[in-house]
Amino acid sequence: MFTKGTGDKEILPEIIIDREKRLLTERLFEDSHLNSYFAVQEPLPKMNWKLLNEKKIIGKYNCTKAVVEFRGRTYTAWYTIEIPISLGPWKFNGLPGLILEVDDEKGFYKWQAKTISFNNNLSEKEILVKIQNDPKFEAISFKDYDAKKIKKVQDKIQTIKARSGGRGAQFGMMTTFEFDKEPINEYRSEMEFN
C-alpha cells in the first residue's frame, strides 16, 4: 500500500486485478465528498488502443506508442513487448506488453515506471488473498460508487443554494468532475452538476 503521508486518510488508491475473474478492484479513501474507504469493483475495462509506429527507450526497454480514449480522456501509452504482460498502471491494460508510461493529452495525469522487479516467491493467488481481504474497505460496484459520489455532490449544491436563500442559482453555481480521471463513464455522460 502506498501512502502520501503518515495520516490514515492519506492513502493513495491501489489497483488489484484478478486476471482469472477479469475483475479490477480500486481500493481508495474518497475524501472529497464521501469521506470513506471503498473497494470499488468493476470488470477489467476493455480498451480500444490505436497502435502507432513511434518508438522510444524507457530505462533499458524498447517501447512502442499507443493511444486510447477512456472515460472522457485521451491517453498516450508507451509499452514494451520485452515484458509480455498485458497490464499497466491504474486501470490500463490490453496492450501486447507492459505499459511503462502513460499520460493524458491535457497533462493532468502521468504515470511512469521508475523500477521493475519480479517477485517469484508468492503465487498470484497468494498475493490476492493477502491484499483483498481488508475489512476497512467497503466493497461496492463502480456504478454504485459513481452514483453515490454524484448524489453527495448534488446534495452539497442544494445545501449551498438553500443557505444562500436561493441566490446560488442566480450565480450559475455548479460543480464539475473535470479533474477526475474519469469525467464520464458507461453510466454517466455529463461532467457538470447543478
Side-chain angles (χ1 to χ4, degrees):
M1 167 97 38
F2 298 100
T3 60
K4 291 190 279 188
T6 56
D8 201 29
K9 291 186 177 183
E10 296 176 336
I11 292 176
L12 289 176
E14 69 180 345
I15 300 290
I16 303 163
I17 295 175
D18 185 331
R19 290 192 287 187
E20 189 174 288
K21 295 179 182 174
R22 301 214 34 88
L23 179 70
L24 181 146
T25 302
E26 182 174 13
R27 291 199 315 193
L28 54 88
F29 178 76
E30 202 292 327
D31 60 349
S32 60
H33 303 291
L34 301 172
N35 210 33
S36 295
Y37 294 91
F38 293 98
V40 182
Q41 298 177 335
E42 64 181 295
L44 188 62
K46 179 162 177 35
M47 301 192 168
N48 297 313
W49 292 97
K50 179 179 178 184
L51 305 181
L52 304 173
N53 287 326
E54 270 186 70
K55 308 282 185 192
K56 79 174 185 178
I57 295 176
I58 298 175
K60 64 179 184 175
Y61 298 98
N62 295 304
C63 296
T64 305
K65 186 176 184 179
V67 177
V68 69
E69 287 189 30
F70 179 64
R71 295 184 178 160
R73 294 195 183 280
T74 301
Y75 294 94
T76 298
W78 294 92
Y79 67 96
T80 180
I81 61 172
E82 295 170 23
I83 305 175
I85 298 170
S86 185
L87 292 174
W90 190 49
K91 298 182 179 186
F92 298 107
N93 71 90
L95 285 169
L98 185 65
I99 300 169
L100 297 183
E101 182 177 300
V102 64
D103 60 350
D104 75 295
E105 69 181 348
K106 293 185 179 179
F108 292 132
Y109 298 100
K110 182 172 185 166
W111 296 264
Q112 186 174 44
K114 297 294 182 192
T115 61
I116 297 173
S117 60
F118 299 91
N119 183 347
N120 296 324
N121 297 332
L122 294 174
S123 73
E124 188 172 329
K125 285 187 181 212
E126 289 172 315
I127 293 170
L128 284 173
V129 167
K130 282 183 174 282
I131 61 178
Q132 281 181 327
N133 301 321
D134 188 335
K136 178 177 13 180
F137 294 91
E138 174 191 343
I140 188 170
S141 72
F142 178 74
K143 181 179 180 179
D144 290 344
Y145 172 77
D146 192 60
K148 187 181 270 201
K149 192 171 176 180
I150 290 168
K151 173 86 170 87
K152 193 69 168 183
V153 168
Q154 290 170 330
D155 289 349
K156 284 184 179 184
I157 291 169
Q158 292 306 315
T159 300
I160 292 168
K161 285 181 179 179
R163 288 182 181 163
S164 67
R167 293 186 308 270
Q170 295 171 5
F171 300 113
M173 183 172 31
M174 71 176 74
T175 188
T176 179
F177 279 79
E178 181 180 350
F179 294 106
D180 281 354
K181 291 185 205 89
E182 299 169 280
I184 64 170
N185 59 50
E186 49 274 37
Y187 311 111
R188 168 177 53 82
S189 60
E190 61 185 319
M191 293 177 8
E192 297 178 345
F193 305 93
N194 55 18

